[in-house]
Amino acid sequence: MFESYEFLQHYWWFIISLLGAVLVFLLFVQGGQTLIYSIGKTDNERTMLVNTLGRKWEFTFTTLVTFGGAFFASFPLFYSTSFGGAYWVWMAILFAFIIQAISYEYRTKPDNFLGKRTFEAFLFINGALGTFLLGTAVATFFTGSDFLVDKNNITLITGDVSPVISRWTGPAHGLEAVLNFHNVSLGLAVFFLSRVLGLLYFENTIDQPEIAKRIKKQLLYNAIPFVAFFLTFVIWLLLRDGFAVNPETGEVYMEAYKYFFNLIEMPIVGIMFLLGVVLVLFGIGRSLFSDTCDKAIWPAGAGTVLTVLSLFLIAGYNNTAFYPSTNLSSSLTIFNSSSSPYTLKVMSYVSILVPFVAAYIVYAWRSVNNKKIDQDEMDNESHVY
Amino acid sequence: MIENVDISLVDWSRAQFALTAMYHWMFVPLTLGLAFIMAIMETIYVKTGNPEWKTITKFWMTLFGINFAIGVATGLILEFEFGTNWSNYSWFVGDIFGAPLAIEGIMAFFLESTFIAVMFFGWNKISKKFHLVSTWLVAFGANLSALWILVANGWMQFPTGMKFNPETARNEMENFWEVFLSPVAINKFLHTISSGYVLGSIFVLGISAWFLIRGRHKLLAKRSIIVASVFGLITSLFLVMTGDGSAYEVAQKQPMKLAAMEGLYEGQEGAGLVAVGALTPGKEYNDNKDAFLFKVEIPKMLSLLSYRDADAFVPGVKDIVEGYDYTNKNGVTTNDISAEEKIKKGKIAINALANFRKAKEAGNEAKAKEYRITLEENFQYFGYGYLNDPASIIPNVPLTFYSFHIMVALGFLFIALFAVALVFIYKNNLEKQKWFLWTALFSIPLAYIASQSGWIVAEEGRQPWVIQDILPTVAAVSQIDASSVQITFWLFAAIFTALLIAEIKILIRQIKIGPKDQEGGK
């Protein structure tokens, strides 16, 4: 099964896409962090909100780290080009995540040096900036960036040009991505989606009537902009020219409606995309129009995974350049940026562990979330954030 | 160094990596060590059913949680910095280096992060046994993650199991098991994790000693000291063994690092090991100054430890730079070519690569084959081609030398510390030994100094290489402005320092609060 190089490259793009999709779902933690003050009006309420998120933040963090590690291992040319080139965007994302990691543990501890409000601000910044920038950065998979890749550079030991293979050509080193509204529309869609999912997660895990009421109100306020920005991004995407690859020569060229055709030409991906969107909308609607439903996170979450997975797949599959450059010949495809067949094969054997990992995560999740958080638990639990 | 790279960019990129690595390493060893100590304590609780052991476990677990969070924060940056600041590196060896990072994520990080939530929040929700298993899995996960990242680091020190592919202009993995089971990687892993166990033991010993000094939580303190001292003594002896294994590998694979560790400029047969010494400031490798202002040596020990032969020849800095050919009295010859010749061969390899790629583009297979052969013949010196000055292969000798000697001296001191603690426990008069309790408390910063020194030896000692002999730092950096890296350096420095202060203040407060009311949450 792992013998064909082409299969391995597709397999690893699938794994990366899946990790990316799961990461976007898990951004409910970030979205929730931006709502602590809108949903929690008293200290006790805010403590409940922080604690229900605090039991899950490490999943998001770990998925982000694994997404990075897997991308490095399977498509190292992307790692070297994007991270080294779009320096400022990635650094901003990393800063947003550093300040999250300690905020839960330190927020209410006495003598915490920076004060409770600072750690809450850290959580907010992580939630707002982390989601928006990740969405914006991923949008460049469709809109392209300004970089050059030339492997011959490594041999430059004299002259004026340094031996660096991948070079960003713009001075903003990635920040220019936020000046493109198509990128920004995905950034904002991810931001509002994460808030929607955060609200659905609160609904699922907190047992407090006042909070439940506020969730319904906020859900509407966040679902509307989410749908608006998501549709803007998707319609624009389906209508725009895409970065296609000639499978014979490896040459990259612009093709009209490329991403739309990708959905049509890969019907399973197309169906996954539609099903994903429907499930997200169903989840939101179910929560909005039913007073008793508290499980809307599951259809909305599954829908998020399916939608994001299919977006990643149309970026990389069907002869498409997943990390395009405005200098077309430098664009990265799953073929020209991947690791060697041997490395992909070794890692593929390791990836067989993934279902096992997923199984123990589900088991552990259930064992900790087997009952909703309430005031009583906050008063009696030994480890409270 | 080649002149087409901004040296200040290389320096700031190195500084940023060193800063993040050293901050990360302030928190990781405690996680590695304390995780096992907690797991042992909880095992005793489950076995005996004595609730006091649960209180003890939970107290240390609170401190563990505070420390763990900041270790996670600093670790994230390190992973991504390979891409952001060492872009060429990421392509040139990503095929080999990326795999352990991905495996670390899949195998270790999820294990750790999933069960840490169960460990902290599961006390009232799951069975005692499942909780105990979760605590052990956290310890196991933390150590498993150390395994993969240290395999990756070991590979940088001793690249093996790969072949350079001129068509893709990168190194590609050929044998995973050679990478994974490389003796450098295994020794590095064992030495590093055991240093974490020792640090964790000293942390528990020191804080427990403070409780005894203050006459508080005596039962907790005494029991914790027993666990920490037994665990600490065993692991500190193991630390010496793995340290010897690591240094032996350095002697075989990185002779320049060994020479710097020992301040050995002129090679010797039957070389002695410097026990204590002060280096002559401003010493150059080729001047006639004595390398030491003074030194106390253990005769023949360096040769014995490095080559398992008391009369073996150990090359010095000067020999490695200028080349050497030495036959000892037993007729055993050791030799190596000079750095200047290696630089020439490196440049031949790099030019052969350029010509190979040109010939390939032009479709001239015969020429391409010729260049490939030239490249393969000289590839072992590829990285030297990016250097111009033979002296640039010498690392910072004083920094490496002093870090190494501080680490070793403290390592032996810690063995004595645990042994003495056990003697006093046996005699049942530990509480009365105020001098010892204070010593134990002040050993905590010493453990951190020893631990950081170890990494300085490992990383400074191998300069200028990112990948030994194959890629120097100058050819590994990203194409960004030095000023951008300066800005992120200071931002990291500021934020990590603020978080470190917060961590220390919170830890101290939690220790003062003690085990009774340790929640602190509200």
Side-chain angles (χ1 to χ4, degrees):
Chain A
M1 180 166 124
F2 295 141
E3 295 310 316
S4 144
Y5 195 15
E6 206 173 308
F7 171 81
L8 287 166
Q9 286 159 328
H10 280 86
Y11 178 72
W12 274 94
W13 183 252
F14 181 81
I15 300 262
I16 298 296
S17 304
L18 188 62
L19 280 168
V22 172
L23 176 64
V24 175
F25 163 57
L26 291 172
L27 288 178
F28 74 76
V29 173
Q30 272 63 27
Q33 285 168 194
T34 63
L35 290 158
I36 291 166
Y37 273 80
S38 331
I39 300 290
K41 296 296 177 197
T42 66
D43 250 8
N44 281 342
E45 288 174 357
R46 286 193 281 271
T47 297
M48 261 190 260
L49 295 169
V50 169
N51 274 275
T52 191
L53 294 173
R55 294 171 187 193
K56 296 290 172 272
W57 76 267
E58 287 199 34
F59 284 127
T60 318
F61 208 91
T62 305
T63 308
L64 174 68
V65 173
T66 307
F67 178 73
F71 226 145
F72 190 4
S74 49
F75 299 99
L77 195 54
F78 166 79
Y79 208 79
S80 103
T81 304
S82 180
F83 288 89
Y87 188 78
W88 283 114
V89 167
W90 292 113
M91 279 296 173
I93 291 173
L94 292 178
F95 273 111
F97 277 87
I98 297 174
I99 55 177
Q100 182 208 25
I102 34 73
S103 293
Y104 284 103
E105 193 65 40
Y106 293 4
R107 188 181 78 105
T108 55
K109 291 271 191 304
D111 265 356
N112 65 7
F113 182 51
L114 300 173
K116 186 175 169 186
R117 282 296 181 114
T118 309
F119 289 108
E120 285 169 354
F122 283 174
L123 290 178
F124 183 86
I125 293 168
N126 168 248
L129 208 61
T131 51
F132 170 71
L133 289 178
L134 274 175
T136 306
V138 169
T140 63
F141 283 33
F142 301 100
T143 58
S145 309
D146 303 328
F147 61 83
L148 289 169
V149 176
D150 186 351
K151 289 172 190 164
N152 293 325
N153 287 353
I154 195 107
T155 62
L156 299 174
I157 47 175
T158 53
D160 297 329
V161 183
S162 67
V164 182
I165 288 173
S166 303
R167 303 157 175 279
W168 216 253
T169 45
H173 277 285
L175 288 182
E176 69 278 0
V178 297
L179 298 178
N180 174 332
F181 186 66
H182 197 187
N183 293 339
V184 170
S185 65
L186 186 61
L188 290 171
V190 172
F191 169 69
F192 284 108
L193 172 67
S194 72
R195 282 165 68 95
V196 165
L197 293 171
L199 289 163
L200 298 179
Y201 176 73
F202 287 148
E203 190 175 63
N204 181 247
T205 56
I206 294 179
D207 185 13
Q208 217 265 25
E210 287 302 310
I211 287 183
K213 266 188 233 160
R214 285 181 217 127
I215 287 174
K216 297 277 184 222
K217 204 166 105 190
Q218 278 292 335
L219 189 57
L220 190 66
Y221 294 163
N222 287 284
I224 292 169
F226 159 64
V227 173
F229 285 116
F230 179 71
L231 286 179
T232 307
F233 173 77
V234 169
I235 292 168
W236 200 335
L237 179 71
L238 299 183
L239 295 179
R240 75 177 293 150
D241 294 352
F243 296 83
V245 186
N246 180 332
E248 307 296 319
T249 60
E251 182 205 351
V252 176
Y253 61 97
M254 300 308 293
E255 186 183 312
Y257 309 112
K258 172 68 179 160
Y259 301 108
F260 176 69
F261 285 127
N262 278 357
L263 283 175
I264 304 294
E265 285 162 13
M266 297 187 288
I268 296 177
V269 179
I271 291 167
M272 235 162 55
F273 178 75
L274 286 176
L275 184 66
V277 173
V278 169
L279 279 171
V280 172
L281 295 177
F282 170 75
I284 296 171
R286 187 95 175 91
S287 171
L288 277 176
F289 301 114
S290 157
D291 287 337
T292 51
C293 172
D294 61 0
K295 294 189 169 52
I297 178 80
W298 301 118
T304 301
V305 172
L306 287 177
T307 309
V308 179
L309 177 62
S310 48
L311 283 175
F312 266 95
L313 294 182
I314 61 168
Y317 278 3
N318 200 33
N319 298 313
T320 314
F322 76 85
Y323 199 61
S325 168
T326 44
N327 182 300
L328 293 179
S329 62
S330 290
S331 299
L332 306 188
T333 69
I334 61 170
F335 305 113
N336 70 12
S337 67
S338 80
S339 278
S340 66
Y342 181 83
T343 296
L344 291 181
K345 197 163 109 180
V346 167
M347 292 199 310
S348 299
Y349 286 116
V350 176
S351 74
I352 294 171
L353 285 174
V354 170
F356 173 70
V357 172
Y360 73 63
I361 290 174
V362 170
Y363 184 68
W365 182 305
R366 285 191 173 175
S367 67
V368 173
N369 277 46
N370 55 4
K371 96 179 223 327
K372 285 191 175 187
I373 284 190
D374 53 22
Q375 193 52 49
D376 192 38
E377 182 175 344
M378 291 295 95
D379 295 336
N380 298 315
E381 173 64 53
S382 63
H383 198 90
V384 176
Y385 289 131
Chain B
M1 305 280 179
I2 48 173
E3 284 152 12
N4 46 350
V5 176
D6 176 4
I7 292 303
S8 72
L9 167 69
V10 180
D11 288 343
W12 279 106
S13 302
R14 282 183 59 203
Q16 180 164 299
F17 203 87
L19 175 88
T20 35
M22 290 180 84
Y23 262 106
H24 186 51
W25 193 247
M26 266 185 220
F27 313 108
V28 174
L30 186 59
T31 299
L32 295 175
L34 200 51
F36 273 123
I37 293 174
M38 281 167 5
I40 293 168
M41 289 169 167
E42 193 178 337
T43 307
I44 301 175
Y45 160 61
V46 173
K47 287 262 175 205
T48 61
N50 180 344
E52 185 64 29
W53 277 107
K54 184 177 176 185
T55 309
I56 295 172
T57 309
K58 285 181 92 169
F59 171 69
W60 294 111
M61 215 171 257
T62 304
L63 305 189
F64 176 87
I66 296 161
N67 178 72
F68 182 81
I70 190 164
V72 172
T74 46
L76 175 77
I77 297 295
L78 271 183
E79 184 198 25
F80 286 93
E81 265 180 20
F82 290 113
T84 54
N85 294 84
W86 304 99
S87 135
N88 250 17
Y89 169 87
S90 297
W91 173 248
F92 197 63
V93 297
D95 193 62
I96 306 130
F97 190 84
L101 290 195
I103 299 172
E104 184 183 16
I106 294 170
M107 272 192 182
F109 286 153
F110 278 110
L111 194 66
E112 208 177 350
S113 61
T114 303
F115 288 98
I116 209 164
V118 180
M119 183 177 90
F120 279 123
F121 302 106
W123 284 107
N124 305 323
K125 296 189 175 76
I126 54 172
S127 71
K128 264 188 195 176
K129 285 212 169 136
F130 181 32
H131 193 276
L132 178 63
V133 170
S134 301
T135 308
W136 276 103
L137 285 175
V138 169
F140 184 62
N143 282 270
L144 198 60
S145 98
L147 169 70
W148 292 106
I149 192 65
L150 292 168
V151 163
N153 182 279
W155 183 83
M156 295 164 86
Q157 317 266 350
F158 172 53
T160 182
M162 93 296 189
K163 191 170 195 298
F164 183 73
N165 181 348
E167 304 204 17
T168 52
R170 66 168 173 195
N171 291 281
E172 296 180 353
M173 191 165 12
E174 277 207 314
N175 188 333
F176 173 76
W177 299 107
E178 263 185 49
V179 175
F180 180 48
L181 298 173
S182 130
V184 174
I186 297 297
N187 272 294
K188 181 168 282 288
F189 167 65
L190 295 175
H191 190 55
T192 310
I193 56 162
S194 44
S195 78
Y197 303 157
V198 171
L199 184 139
S201 305
I202 292 174
F203 182 83
V204 172
L205 177 64
I207 289 166
S208 305
W210 183 78
F211 281 144
L212 290 182
I213 293 167
R214 288 295 162 105
R216 294 172 54 193
H217 315 299
K218 286 187 186 175
L219 185 64
L220 173 138
K222 282 184 191 168
R223 287 184 171 177
S224 299
I225 288 177
I226 294 173
V227 173
S229 302
V230 172
F231 187 65
L233 184 63
I234 296 168
T235 53
S236 57
L237 291 170
F238 187 63
L239 186 63
V240 174
M241 212 172 86
T242 54
D244 169 63
S246 292
Y248 175 77
E249 292 302 333
V250 167
Q252 318 306 312
K253 316 298 191 317
Q254 298 171 300
M256 180 60 94
K257 188 196 277 187
L258 183 80
M261 281 157 65
E262 277 297 297
L264 184 72
Y265 281 88
E266 309 266 349
Q268 282 174 37
E269 189 177 322
L273 186 77
V274 178
V276 186
L279 293 167
T280 306
K283 162 83 182 155
E284 297 287 335
Y285 82 96
N286 52 0
D287 64 18
N288 290 324
K289 281 187 199 164
D290 199 339
F292 285 89
L293 295 173
F294 81 92
K295 65 176 170 181
V296 178
E297 253 188 9
I298 308 169
K300 293 190 184 269
M301 193 54 110
L302 182 61
S303 289
L304 183 66
L305 291 177
S306 305
Y307 299 97
R308 307 302 191 227
D309 169 4
D311 293 319
F313 174 74
V314 184
V317 172
K318 193 175 174 201
D319 305 280
I320 298 166
V321 173
E322 295 180 351
Y324 61 95
D325 189 349
Y326 191 89
T327 306
N328 75 2
K329 59 190 173 194
N330 301 329
V332 180
T333 299
T334 49
N335 53 32
D336 199 4
I337 58 172
S338 69
E340 199 173 345
E341 284 172 84
K342 288 178 184 172
I343 290 171
K344 269 187 208 154
K345 284 174 180 283
K347 291 190 191 299
I348 291 171
I350 293 172
N351 287 327
L353 173 63
N355 291 329
F356 168 86
R357 294 182 65 85
K358 273 185 212 148
K360 269 275 176 188
E361 267 171 42
N364 189 341
E365 289 297 327
K367 274 276 174 205
K369 196 177 169 192
E370 248 175 63
Y371 289 124
R372 182 194 276 265
I373 291 168
T374 310
L375 171 63
E376 283 172 0
E377 280 171 357
N378 295 284
F379 185 74
Q380 62 172 313
Y381 304 112
F382 190 88
Y384 287 87
Y386 295 102
L387 309 175
N388 289 333
D389 175 11
S392 61
I393 67 162
I394 307 171
N396 183 329
V397 176
L399 184 58
T400 314
F401 172 85
Y402 288 118
S403 303
F404 177 63
H405 285 79
I406 288 169
M407 174 188 75
V408 173
L410 289 173
F412 283 102
L413 178 76
F414 299 151
I415 296 176
L417 185 79
F418 295 124
V420 172
L422 286 171
V423 170
F424 288 139
I425 290 166
Y426 180 72
K427 290 187 171 173
N428 204 13
N429 62 358
L430 182 68
E431 260 178 89
K432 292 176 194 143
Q433 314 297 332
K434 293 284 187 246
W435 67 271
F436 177 77
L437 297 175
W438 283 109
T439 307
L441 179 61
F442 285 107
S443 294
I444 296 177
L446 295 181
Y448 282 91
I449 290 171
S451 196
Q452 293 285 344
S453 301
W455 274 111
I456 293 173
V457 175
E459 299 304 298
E460 180 56 44
R462 69 170 155 125
Q463 292 304 316
W465 304 112
V466 186
I467 307 292
Q468 185 72 35
D469 296 346
I470 292 177
L471 191 71
T473 48
V474 70
V477 284
S478 301
Q479 179 70 28
I480 31 175
D481 299 328
S483 58
S484 299
V485 186
Q486 267 186 56
I487 294 170
T488 49
F489 173 89
W490 290 115
L491 278 171
F492 284 135
I495 196 155
F496 287 158
T497 307
L499 298 184
L500 176 68
I501 294 169
E503 194 229 11
I504 294 174
K505 284 179 71 115
I506 294 171
L507 272 180
I508 291 175
R509 181 62 179 266
Q510 291 295 318
I511 292 163
K512 282 184 181 163
I513 293 171
K516 283 285 184 300
D517 175 29
Q518 49 174 296
E519 287 80 8
K522 295 185 12 168

